[in-house]
Amino acid sequence: MQPKTPDWMDIANEKVGPAGRPDLKAIRDTRWISPHTENMSDFSREELKAHLQNQDLKVDVRLKDFESKVSDGLTQMNHSLQLLEKDLSAFRGIKATILINSIVSVIAIVGIVIGVMAYGVSSFDSGRETSIIVQELKQQNAETRYLLEQIKAKQSQ
């Protein structure tokens, strides 16, 4: 006996499974379950109020849990920020130190430049004064030689 080939309409209507055997679920669904549901019972006001209060309590509990988690998170963040601020407090002094060292370096460089210029000017002035002194000494030397020659000339006469 060969198995019966499935009728595609039966498969589409879910009465027969793809292997050609009857789909028990489809049969069970159509045989024992009524297509219509029974009418819902009406809630009384007290039942509805109690149900809504129960839901409100659940929401309040969830909200308090969420608030506590947020509060814990903010506390941890605040603690972390305090630790970070404590770690960075050492760097605040470094900024002032760098600024002061920069200013002192600029002042030292300006002082060195002024000192070199003063040394150059003093050397120039001393050179100029030296040349004046040398000229005066030459002139005195010439005068002394002239006087010596006159003295020698008088002595030889």
Side-chain angles (χ1 to χ4, degrees), residues 136-153:
E136 287 177 2
L137 286 175
K138 284 182 181 179
Q139 186 177 4
Q140 284 178 359
N141 193 11
E143 290 173 1
T144 305
R145 194 174 281 151
Y146 177 71
L147 288 173
L148 275 174
E149 287 177 4
Q150 282 182 354
I151 291 175
K152 282 183 186 179

Side-chain angles (χ1 to χ4, degrees), residues 29-38:
D29 284 347
T30 57
R31 283 191 187 161
W32 292 309
I33 297 177
S34 169
H36 302 288
T37 58
E38 296 179 19

Side-chain angles (χ1 to χ4, degrees), residues 44-123:
S44 66
R45 278 188 187 265
E46 291 78 21
E47 288 175 335
L48 182 61
K49 191 181 268 188
H51 180 70
L52 291 176
Q53 285 177 349
N54 187 22
Q55 294 301 319
D56 283 345
L57 290 175
K58 286 180 183 178
V59 168
D60 287 343
V61 167
R62 286 181 185 163
L63 184 61
K64 285 184 181 182
D65 184 42
F66 177 73
E67 286 175 349
S68 68
K69 286 180 182 178
V70 169
S71 176
D72 291 343
L74 289 175
T75 303
Q76 288 176 353
M77 283 177 40
N78 191 14
H79 181 67
S80 297
L81 287 174
Q82 287 174 351
L83 290 175
L84 183 63
E85 185 175 336
K86 191 176 188 182
D87 290 341
L88 293 178
S89 64
F91 291 112
R92 288 189 186 127
I94 289 174
K95 181 180 176 183
T97 303
I98 290 172
L99 184 63
I100 289 171
N101 286 340
S102 299
I103 292 172
V104 168
S105 297
V106 168
I107 291 172
I109 291 171
V110 168
I112 290 170
V113 168
I114 290 173
V116 168
M117 289 175 62
Y119 177 72
V121 168
S122 69
S123 295

